[in-house]
Amino acid sequence: MKKISIMVIILLLSACSAETITDERTKPEINSGKVSDEAVHQQLDGAEEQDYIKISKDDAPRLWSDADVQLWKYVTDYSLSEEMGYKQEITSWRKLEGEFDKSLSTPNQTWENPGKLLLAFMTDVEVSNYLGQEIWEINSRIKFLDENNALGYIMSYGLHDDSAAGSDIKLTMKKENGFWYIESAEEREHCSRGIGESFCI
């Protein structure tokens, strides 16, 4: 009788284990990151659809191929200014006003890559002095034209200015004898209300 009872218990335990295994296999693999599209995009009934930042498939490649593309332009709401008749425009590149250390534009044995040269320029002209006060964001990028030529961009956005939304500096950099120097420096503005003769109005 004991043998029969033990066998019945073993059979019951086996059945329970098999059922548990079957149930676990039919569950979505949430913890593994393999969740179905339906689960990812599921929304509660009656909930309002969320607004997301969307970049068109035609514009998206520019985020990598165009070093001076301004990401903040994709997240800024221009509707109010457009209703008031304003048009966002960008001035043409012009020679940088002001001076910077002449050693930065002289072929020498200092900067082994354009990134270090760009950082030395930013430090020299104190471009970050007003960051967090009169400038909300500054970012920099490098675009290699070939192994001996590169463009450096310093982009400032969120100026405490009702005329200019942002400003850019572009450095043309060259490599000579294994080291980099600045060949030319230019600047431009992003205008909130359009351009006058050559500057933001």
Side-chain angles (χ1 to χ4, degrees):
M1 193 71 181
K2 278 187 179 180
K3 286 184 180 179
I4 293 173
S5 298
I6 291 171
M7 287 186 70
V8 169
I9 292 170
I10 290 172
L11 287 171
L12 286 171
L13 288 173
S14 299
C16 291
S17 298
E19 188 179 339
T20 303
I21 290 170
T22 304
D23 288 346
E24 289 299 321
R25 287 179 180 169
T26 58
K27 290 180 181 177
E29 298 179 43
I30 295 173
N31 293 334
S32 67
K34 298 177 182 177
V35 183
S36 68
D37 289 341
E38 185 179 350
V40 170
H41 299 292
Q42 192 173 8
Q43 191 168 335
L44 295 174
D45 292 337
E48 293 184 9
E49 186 176 346
Q50 297 290 325
D51 288 330
Y52 298 95
I53 297 166
K54 296 178 182 178
I55 298 175
S56 73
K57 65 180 181 180
D58 295 326
D59 287 338
R62 297 182 60 227
L63 306 184
W64 290 97
S65 61
D66 190 352
D68 72 335
V69 64
Q70 292 282 6
L71 299 181
W72 53 265
K73 297 187 97 174
Y74 288 97
V75 299
T76 302
D77 184 3
Y78 292 117
S79 57
L80 181 60
S81 58
E82 288 171 355
E83 287 174 13
M84 297 174 68
Y86 296 134
K87 181 181 177 183
Q88 289 71 44
E89 294 184 276
I90 305 172
T91 64
S92 299
W93 288 108
R94 64 182 185 279
K95 185 177 178 180
L96 179 71
E97 294 180 9
E99 298 182 355
F100 57 91
D101 191 334
K102 291 181 180 178
S103 69
L104 297 170
S105 59
T106 304
N108 54 42
Q109 304 292 307
T110 304
W111 295 283
E112 299 173 350
N113 61 63
K116 289 182 179 180
L117 177 57
L118 181 65
L119 180 59
F121 174 87
M122 292 175 69
T123 302
D124 180 63
V125 299
E126 300 178 337
V127 71
S128 301
N129 274 15
Y130 298 102
L131 188 58
Q133 300 173 65
E134 295 182 21
I135 302 172
W136 181 64
E137 176 186 59
I138 298 174
N139 63 71
S140 58
R141 298 194 189 112
I142 299 285
K143 179 179 181 179
F144 281 90
L145 304 177
D146 56 48
E147 61 180 15
N148 295 314
N149 294 276
L151 298 176
Y153 294 94
I154 303 163
M155 296 171 282
S156 302
Y157 170 68
L159 309 185
H160 282 210
D161 189 307
D162 61 352
S163 176
S167 64
D168 303 326
I169 295 174
K170 177 173 67 175
L171 304 179
T172 301
M173 300 179 285
K174 294 185 73 71
K175 183 180 181 181
E176 188 174 304
N177 298 323
F179 293 87
W180 291 82
Y181 67 95
I182 297 172
E183 187 176 48
S184 65
E186 300 171 277
E187 62 184 341
R188 70 180 180 187
E189 283 79 36
H190 295 260
C191 304
S192 303
R193 298 192 301 247
I195 305 171
E197 292 184 5
S198 58
F199 294 94
C200 298
I201 54 175

